[in-house]
Amino acid sequence: MKWLKKLSLAAIASAFLLSATLTGSAGAKDELKGKITVNGSTALLPLTLQAAKEFQKLHPKVKIAASGKGSVTGPQAVKKGIADIGACDWDASEDVPGFKKFEGQVANKVAVIPFATIVNKSVKVDSLTTEQLKGIYSGKITNWKDVGGDDKDIVVITRSFGSGTRVNYQAKALGGGDIVKKEKNYKEVGSSGDMKTAVATTPNSIGYIDLTYISGDDIKAVKHNGVEATVENVINGKYKIWSYGYYMTKGQPTGETKAFIEYVQSKKFQEGSLKKLKFIPISAMK
Amino acid sequence: MNISAHKAAREAGAELHPRHRWNLTSRRARARVVNWLFKYYFLFSILALCLVLAMVIFFIGKTAMLTFQEVTPAEFFFSFDWTPEEDRFGAALFIVNTLSLTLLTLIIAVPLSLGMAILIAEIAPAWVKKFVSPLLDLLVGIPSIVYGYLGLTVLLPLLRELSGEGLGDGLLAAALVLTIMILPTISRISEDAISAVPRKYRDASYALGATRLQTTFRVVLPAAGRGIVAAIILGMTRAIGETMAVVMVIGNTPQLAKSLFAPTSVLTSNIVMQISNVDFDSTWNYSLHLMAFLLLLISFVLILIIRIIGRKGGA
């Protein structure tokens, strides 16, 4: 057994050496170096990860650590000095319902995030107005037959208070209307992924989610005031449920943080990878 | 002859060779050092445990106590209105829900798992035990998120079908998922306890003319009482602290559960749902810490209660 031990030791040692030489040798041509920590919104996380991958290829000496939790943790981490960039689904340098503004932080727009109302595949309704949505989420409308569907109870699925998606959905889809908890047929979920699972598995349910998450046969997007939730309709201004995604920084960004944000805002990234991830370039919204 | 020669040589060596004698004392010294080391090692282990516990109590408690700058204890413990976005911090509903969920889980799980334990230890042939015990060990090790996912995809549709509810989330769904989770824990440990009851107790009972049922319930179970109580405690603490599996099937709505199918929330699920969406320096965050602290206290009190019941039952 001794030889096995020696062999594995040797293997581990060589693996370490190999990785050290690989990371060490990969180009020393540019002077940009340092560490960028990104924290915050899970909705923006796929975008941040993709951008970090590409940016590190260009600037091998910059290390980017990105993680996602909830929108508000982004600006909070920046405030506490834990993160250089706080990803947030709303402009945290201004007051929004439920959250005070973060003093001294700068909001850098990086993407446009469209949201959509979704229903389980069992629901026959394919368009809802702002008033109908308000009625459903405030608990006044409880049956699908009142909005043109079958005689079935509406099961409301919502994100918990403080979610960036919920903040934006309430402001734009419900026209500022309330989401009221109910004794039955009401459920709160903690993330976009959970929202998708819950609506997909619960018959007669309704929910809301980032457009990028919509796929598969179990859920379908519902038209808002007769307008289909598509990237084109967001760009031409017909579809209203969207928001900017922001990178919050303490004061104006500098050094490698500035370079990274500029890379994310660059035409190459916005028109390339960002579009592939189903976000919308900020330049498209004029 | 050989042996006596050896003995003589050894005695002579002990007397005559200083090197040999030194060897002997060194062995003694080494034993002393090792003893000493182990004593402090064990002491260190227990201190490390105490340190962790003290740190948990201190740091969680410190943040938790900040709650009372803004909220009165009366409101926090006795109000049923949890609307933190409008500064109403009544946590009584979570406390009541946590207690009722734990109670409901134990009511379903304890009889079932004791039945399983008795079957395996007393009634079934040896090969069944050989087969089932490792299976239970495997079940104990399954991560809770797996149970939660099963609850979401298998149990909830079933409950919807049976009850006619639209959603199915609520105390019953959570209790069933928790029951499946803690069944193996309770039955495995109680089975060990039952198997450890000496054979002569049973023999004596049978000799007095008792039936197998009487022997099991009057002799074996009381004798294994302590172990069974420990098993229930372990299962209960797993149930009360369980978060991920519960979050997926309870509905996460902060309101008192008025029926088994009302979407509701317990201490753990509420903490995990809200902690990532609150300000660091807010009463809301402090009160979530207080709820975590409370969870610690509740499980401590429940453990005490079960121990007292167990002692009375055993006596």
Side-chain angles (χ1 to χ4, degrees):
Chain A
M1 271 320 186
K2 245 185 182 159
W3 61 272
L4 192 70
K5 222 174 183 176
K6 269 187 190 160
L7 195 72
S8 56
L9 264 180
I12 292 169
S14 55
F16 267 118
L17 269 179
L18 198 66
S19 60
T21 46
L22 275 183
T23 48
S25 66
K29 47 189 180 280
D30 85 324
E31 65 291 350
L32 207 59
K33 60 180 176 189
K35 192 167 185 279
I36 310 173
T37 312
V38 190
N39 206 334
S41 159
T42 44
L44 284 168
L45 189 62
L47 183 147
T48 309
L49 288 176
Q50 179 64 28
K53 210 160 79 189
E54 295 175 16
F55 189 74
Q56 278 168 319
K57 227 175 251 167
L58 290 175
H59 307 283
K61 283 193 177 166
V62 179
K63 291 252 178 298
I64 301 178
S67 61
K69 215 173 160 201
S71 266
V72 77
T73 52
Q76 271 173 11
V78 171
K79 185 178 162 196
K80 285 221 155 185
I82 302 165
D84 305 297
I85 295 175
C88 188
D89 296 355
W90 66 82
D91 183 352
S93 62
E94 281 169 19
D95 288 333
V96 295
F99 292 98
K100 284 198 261 335
K101 67 176 173 185
F102 286 82
E103 217 61 69
Q105 292 196 10
V106 175
N108 307 275
K109 284 179 193 171
V110 289
V112 172
I113 316 172
F115 302 99
T117 308
I118 50 171
V119 292
N120 183 270
K121 62 166 185 273
S122 64
V123 175
K124 300 275 172 9
V125 177
D126 64 355
S127 177
L128 289 165
T129 65
T130 305
E131 284 310 308
Q132 286 171 329
L133 284 173
K134 258 188 185 173
I136 290 171
Y137 276 98
S138 65
K140 287 189 194 90
I141 301 175
T142 57
N143 197 307
W144 281 112
K145 71 171 190 263
D146 296 333
V147 291
D150 295 341
D151 182 11
K152 294 272 195 256
D153 282 342
I154 301 177
V155 178
V156 173
I157 316 256
T158 179
R159 296 284 300 274
S160 52
F161 185 85
S163 133
T165 309
R166 176 165 165 163
V167 167
N168 286 309
Y169 189 79
Q170 252 180 292
K172 279 144 191 164
L174 304 183
D178 274 337
I179 295 177
V180 182
K181 66 186 176 203
K182 299 194 286 182
E183 287 280 327
K184 55 187 280 187
N185 295 331
Y186 174 95
K187 174 175 183 161
E188 290 184 16
V189 292
S191 71
S192 301
D194 289 349
M195 172 64 86
K196 188 177 172 181
T197 318
V199 175
T201 55
T202 315
N204 306 310
S205 60
I206 184 170
Y208 50 87
I209 202 166
D210 313 14
L211 201 56
T212 51
Y213 278 90
I214 298 177
S215 61
D217 296 331
D218 294 332
I219 56 171
K220 59 177 186 186
V222 174
K223 288 179 193 155
H224 187 244
N225 294 327
V227 183
E228 209 172 329
T230 59
V231 171
E232 295 77 56
N233 283 340
V234 173
I235 294 171
N236 65 28
K238 283 186 194 153
Y239 187 77
K240 304 289 183 203
I241 315 172
W242 58 270
S243 80
Y244 285 112
Y246 296 90
Y247 277 177
M248 305 301 300
T249 51
K250 204 175 233 168
Q252 288 296 336
T254 53
E256 67 272 6
T257 308
K258 184 176 176 214
F260 178 63
I261 293 177
E262 274 169 2
Y263 179 77
V264 174
Q265 291 170 335
S266 73
K267 195 162 182 190
K268 177 175 169 271
F269 184 77
Q270 294 269 324
E271 297 291 331
S273 307
L274 185 133
K275 256 189 174 168
K276 258 185 227 147
L277 291 167
K278 287 199 219 159
F279 290 97
I280 302 172
I282 39 177
S283 58
M285 311 304 301
K286 284 295 174 209
Chain B
M1 186 200 88
N2 215 350
I3 296 169
S4 64
H6 261 286
K7 206 175 168 190
R10 207 190 302 153
E11 271 165 10
E15 297 277 325
L16 299 175
H17 287 283
R19 190 174 145 261
H20 207 129
R21 204 189 307 158
W22 183 83
N23 223 348
L24 208 70
T25 51
S26 102
R27 199 184 303 155
R28 224 173 268 155
R30 208 164 57 210
R32 212 175 298 146
V33 168
V34 168
N35 274 350
W36 181 85
L37 273 180
F38 265 97
K39 182 180 144 197
Y40 281 95
Y41 168 68
F42 293 139
L43 200 66
F44 169 78
S45 309
I46 193 80
L47 279 181
L49 184 70
C50 292
L51 188 73
V52 170
L53 190 65
M55 261 166 38
V56 167
I57 292 175
F58 179 71
F59 284 109
I60 304 270
K62 202 176 79 173
T63 317
M65 288 313 138
L66 293 173
T67 312
F68 296 126
Q69 291 174 344
E70 306 249 336
V71 185
T72 61
E75 182 189 349
F76 188 85
F77 291 109
F78 299 111
S79 161
F80 287 88
D81 184 4
W82 177 261
T83 319
E85 58 266 34
E86 284 159 29
D87 290 323
R88 293 201 298 276
F89 299 94
L93 68 106
F94 299 117
I95 300 169
V96 174
N97 283 347
T98 299
L99 291 176
S100 31
L101 176 61
T102 310
L103 198 69
L104 191 62
T105 307
L106 287 183
I107 287 174
I108 308 174
V110 169
L112 270 179
S113 42
L114 278 188
M116 272 164 72
I118 292 169
L119 174 83
I120 297 168
E122 294 288 295
I123 299 166
W127 64 268
V128 173
K129 184 175 178 175
K130 259 190 199 145
F131 175 71
V132 174
S133 294
L135 206 69
L136 286 178
D137 286 339
L138 187 74
L139 286 175
V140 171
I142 291 179
S144 56
I145 191 87
V146 175
Y147 288 110
Y149 199 75
L150 279 179
L152 190 68
T153 54
V154 180
L155 183 69
L156 282 185
L158 202 70
L159 281 178
R160 263 177 228 139
E161 196 86 357
L162 293 177
S163 67
E165 292 281 326
L167 193 59
D169 291 50
L171 280 189
L172 185 64
L176 287 176
V177 168
L178 286 179
T179 299
I180 299 168
M181 263 184 63
I182 67 173
L183 265 183
T185 310
I186 302 184
S187 51
R188 186 73 178 84
I189 300 172
S190 346
E191 180 231 307
D192 275 347
I194 293 172
S195 300
V197 173
R199 166 125 211 112
K200 55 186 178 188
Y201 286 24
R202 298 183 183 88
D203 290 344
S205 172
Y206 287 134
L208 288 171
T211 63
R212 189 191 237 175
L213 198 70
Q214 286 167 328
T215 305
T216 304
F217 280 96
R218 303 271 173 84
V219 177
V220 177
L221 281 192
R226 287 250 165 137
I228 293 174
V229 167
I232 295 173
I233 288 179
L234 273 178
M236 186 196 70
T237 45
R238 191 167 181 205
I240 205 172
E242 180 47 45
T243 313
M244 291 326 292
V246 171
V247 161
M248 296 177 86
V249 296
I250 202 165
N252 308 312
T253 310
Q255 58 193 359
L256 196 66
K258 293 199 180 111
S259 81
L260 289 178
F261 288 106
T264 179
S265 201
V266 291
L267 287 168
T268 51
S269 67
N270 189 61
I271 294 171
V272 79
M273 283 291 288
Q274 302 195 327
I275 198 83
S276 62
N277 287 332
V278 298
D279 254 310
F280 284 135
D281 307 310
S282 64
T283 311
W284 191 347
N285 187 26
Y286 303 151
S287 60
L288 290 180
H289 277 77
L290 185 56
M291 283 160 64
F293 193 65
L294 212 60
L295 204 58
L296 208 68
L297 288 183
I298 290 179
S299 60
F300 179 69
V301 169
L302 286 184
I303 289 172
L304 273 186
I305 292 174
I306 290 192
R307 282 224 180 257
I308 290 166
I309 294 174
R311 201 162 295 160
K312 274 192 186 144

